[in-house]
Amino acid sequence: MKTKQIFLLIVVIAALIQLVACVPFITKPIPTVSNPTQKPYTSDVPDPISTPYSMPTATASAETRLNEAYMLIQQDKCVEAMPILNALIEEKPDWNLPYESRYSCNISFQSNVFTVQQGYLLAALQDLNTLVQLDPTSGGYRAWREYALRQIAALEQYSANQFAIYDLANQDAVKAIELGVVPSSYVYRHHARNLIEGNHCQEGLAEIQKLIDKATMQSEEFGQYYSLYETEAYICLGKLDKALSSAQYITCDDPATACKTGLLALIYFQSGDYKKALDTLNNMINLQPAGGGWRYFIRGLIEYENGEKDIALQDLEFGAANIWHEGGVYWYVKAKLAMDAGDKENGISYLQTAEQTLDVTYTPFRQQIIDELKIYGAEPITREPNLPFAPLPTP
């Protein structure tokens, strides 16, 4: 067995053990969002319990036990349901329904511990890989796997990994559409967003505009999804004026996330309008201080530029305690502080790390970092994707 497959198996087993044990250990507080483009909309979440697939022939005992697991899951008792599902899967490895239910538990689990959270998502992916192999003609299974891959991508620190996983997610989105998922499926809009977040922003923008052409400005889809994705695409393309205009139509919002207010803060920041960026960030933080560590990093950079280094350091520390990965802005400020101290070697290293840890909504800022590296006679480091799971099986 290859090393990466062994690692995946260990992670999955560890995750399942944690679910059964239900151990409540805490490290860093979980951020409401680990990067400014991750949005946990409930309407974007597939329902893995309701299944359109017929139940294969099974013994009454197996059906009864599966129904018992269903009831437990409906009562939010996945810990009790999991041993039943594990036993059914061991007894009937070709029966899809227990895998569906186990996936539903794993994908919905929330932990404050990064490795545990990632482990559950990888366990969900493993079950979806099996389901896709059991029924390669099911567009629904491809749609579920696309969704799981997006959740895994959002946990990644390095942009190279994110881009690669969004590309894989998009392959499933395209296949799900090809296999005939319902027209209302989220994979249609995810197809466009995966292109954007996979750093194919011009293609993604074209797909979003196709969806916008079929919608009305008053529709929920336009305000909550399409205008948001369009804004992200314009930021990625460096068209900040158009991004600002598009952002005005976004209807979703939350003070700790990167919905409308968060994207406005990113646009102001990367446009050089530090006053508006700071006012927006302060309002967000006052409304909801915890979570959204990225807000503190941008505020820290603005404070650094204003000569308030001590306050900037405080924001860096507080932000780091409210997010799993420090991210590009954090490392950029660290680079500035290192250069101020005469430590050019670490300054360059921090700039290179900053460039590698920015998603597409920071593309203008990434270009600024690349330009600064050139001034110091350095280049960005090319990073190959190093994914936390083995290559997806091809049915």
Side-chain angles (χ1 to χ4, degrees):
M1 185 177 293
K2 294 181 179 180
T3 302
K4 187 171 286 187
Q5 293 173 320
I6 295 172
F7 170 75
L8 173 60
L9 181 61
I10 292 171
V11 171
V12 170
I13 292 172
L16 295 177
I17 291 172
Q18 290 293 338
L19 181 56
V20 175
C22 196
V23 179
F25 40 95
I26 302 294
T27 55
K28 287 186 179 181
I30 186 171
T32 304
V33 30
S34 63
N35 65 57
T37 59
Q38 180 187 347
K39 287 170 293 302
Y41 302 140
T42 55
S43 58
D44 232 5
V45 179
D47 178 7
I49 304 300
S50 302
T51 173
Y53 308 106
S54 59
M55 181 180 292
T57 302
T59 66
S61 174
E63 292 179 359
T64 299
R65 287 148 61 202
L66 182 62
N67 286 333
E68 180 185 353
Y70 278 157
M71 294 301 295
L72 290 169
I73 293 170
Q74 294 291 343
Q75 300 169 35
D76 294 326
K77 296 181 178 179
C78 276
V79 172
E80 290 89 339
M82 192 63 74
I84 301 172
L85 297 172
N86 290 343
L88 287 171
I89 287 169
E90 184 175 355
E91 294 170 19
K92 297 179 176 293
D94 295 331
W95 191 16
N96 61 341
L97 298 185
Y99 290 103
E100 291 183 13
S101 294
R102 191 167 72 177
Y103 155 74
S104 74
C105 284
N106 285 325
I107 200 70
S108 62
F109 183 81
Q110 296 292 318
S111 174
N112 282 355
V113 182
F114 175 81
T115 52
V116 175
Q117 182 67 50
Q118 185 187 54
Y120 278 96
L121 293 177
L122 294 175
L125 179 64
Q126 186 82 338
D127 281 340
L128 290 171
N129 289 343
T130 301
L131 286 168
V132 168
Q133 289 182 305
L134 288 174
D135 187 359
T137 66
S138 168
Y141 290 157
R142 291 286 192 153
W144 292 357
R145 191 167 72 176
E146 184 272 346
Y147 178 81
L149 285 166
R150 286 188 55 80
Q151 308 315 300
I152 294 170
L155 300 187
E156 288 298 306
Q157 178 178 12
Y158 293 101
S159 56
N161 289 358
Q162 282 194 356
F163 298 160
I165 298 174
Y166 285 126
D167 283 347
L168 290 174
N170 202 46
Q171 291 176 22
D172 274 332
V174 171
K175 190 64 177 179
I177 293 170
E178 178 187 319
L179 290 171
V181 291
V182 294
S184 61
S185 173
Y186 57 87
V187 295
Y188 284 91
R189 61 176 178 267
H190 281 191
H191 169 45
R193 198 177 194 194
N194 287 330
L195 285 170
I196 296 166
E197 295 182 342
N199 204 28
H200 312 290
C201 300
Q202 191 64 58
E203 296 174 61
L205 179 61
E207 290 298 321
I208 281 295
Q209 289 175 336
K210 290 178 186 177
L211 295 174
I212 289 174
D213 289 343
K214 297 177 183 178
T216 64
M217 294 180 65
Q218 292 74 35
S219 67
E220 178 183 356
E221 289 80 7
F222 178 80
Q224 188 161 353
Y225 302 114
Y226 302 163
S227 56
L228 188 148
Y229 303 168
E230 183 182 50
T231 302
E232 292 179 342
Y234 280 135
I235 296 175
C236 176
L237 294 169
K239 299 178 180 180
L240 297 177
D241 289 342
K242 288 189 174 182
L244 183 59
S245 176
S246 180
Q248 307 309 315
Y249 296 99
I250 299 173
T251 56
C252 59
D253 212 359
D254 184 301
T257 70
C259 210
K260 180 176 182 177
T261 306
L263 285 174
L264 286 172
L266 284 174
I267 293 167
Y268 295 143
F269 159 60
Q270 293 179 97
S271 299
D273 192 340
Y274 282 1
K275 183 182 185 307
K276 283 187 178 179
L278 189 59
D279 289 344
T280 304
L281 292 165
N282 285 337
N283 287 336
M284 294 175 73
I285 289 169
N286 288 338
L287 285 169
Q288 188 169 323
W294 63 273
R295 303 169 303 168
Y296 290 93
F297 300 152
I298 297 177
R299 191 170 75 170
L301 174 52
I302 295 172
E303 290 161 346
Y304 168 85
E305 296 289 359
N306 290 335
E308 301 172 311
K309 293 184 182 181
D310 291 340
I311 299 176
L313 280 171
Q314 292 175 17
D315 268 342
L316 290 187
E317 291 174 4
F318 191 84
N322 280 271
I323 202 166
W324 277 322
H325 304 304
E326 283 74 10
V329 180
Y330 172 93
W331 292 111
Y332 181 81
V333 180
K334 294 284 284 185
K336 288 292 188 180
L337 293 169
M339 293 295 187
D340 290 346
D343 188 353
K344 182 179 177 181
E345 182 179 354
N346 274 324
I348 290 174
S349 177
Y350 292 152
L351 284 175
Q352 290 169 329
T353 301
E355 189 275 333
Q356 294 175 329
T357 53
L358 293 167
D359 65 40
V360 294
T361 59
Y362 287 88
T363 300
F365 184 57
R366 170 182 274 121
Q367 186 57 54
Q368 176 185 331
I369 294 171
I370 293 172
D371 292 341
E372 290 190 26
L373 281 169
K374 290 180 180 177
I375 293 173
Y376 293 110
E379 297 287 340
I381 295 176
T382 301
R383 175 178 288 272
E384 294 298 323
N386 182 23
L387 306 188
F389 51 83
L392 300 182
T394 303

